[in-house]
Amino acid sequence: MSAHKIITGLRQAVAYARGEAVDVRETVVRTPPEVDVKAIRDRLGLTQRQFALRFGFSVGSIRNWEQGHRQPEGPARVLLTVIDKRADAVLEALSP
C-alpha cells in the first residue's frame, strides 16, 4: 500500500469522525436488541458452566443474563447471535 493511500485513508477517517460527508463504504451490523441466552443454552443441551467454558463467557455473566439482571452487550450479543444460528461454526473456529 502506498503512502498516498494511507494518508488519504487517514484524512477520510478524521473527516468521518468529525461528521463530515465522506465517500467511504460503511458497514452497519445490526444485532437483535435482546438475546435469550437460556433458550440458546437449552437448545444446545448445556449447563451454564458448560456453556460458559465452551464459548468463553464467565458463569456469572451467564447467570446474570439468564436471570434478567443484565443483558449481553456489544461483542457478547454478536457472539451469542452467531452461537444461536451457527454454534458449529463457532466451535470449529475455537478449536485448536
Side-chain angles (χ1 to χ4, degrees):
M1 180 176 264
S2 73
H4 175 71
K5 284 187 176 184
I6 293 171
I7 292 169
T8 300
L10 289 171
R11 286 184 178 141
Q12 289 174 331
V14 169
Y16 181 83
R18 289 182 182 148
E20 298 171 17
V22 181
D23 186 26
V24 295
R25 180 177 42 192
E26 181 178 0
T27 302
V28 177
V29 177
R30 298 195 195 316
T31 57
E34 292 186 6
V35 178
D36 189 343
V37 178
K38 184 169 182 357
I40 296 168
R41 184 178 60 76
D42 285 346
R43 267 195 303 282
L44 295 173
L46 299 172
T47 66
Q48 288 180 337
R49 180 170 166 68
Q50 290 169 329
F51 187 86
L53 290 172
R54 188 159 299 170
F55 296 108
F57 299 109
S58 73
V59 177
S61 290
I62 301 299
R63 286 187 187 128
N64 281 323
W65 295 335
E66 290 189 6
Q67 293 172 2
H69 299 300
R70 302 189 76 179
Q71 273 292 312
E73 296 180 14
R77 190 168 55 221
V78 171
L79 178 56
L80 288 162
T81 301
V82 176
I83 291 169
D84 188 27
K85 297 185 183 309
R86 291 286 313 277
D88 60 324
V90 175
L91 291 171
E92 181 182 333
L94 295 174
S95 68

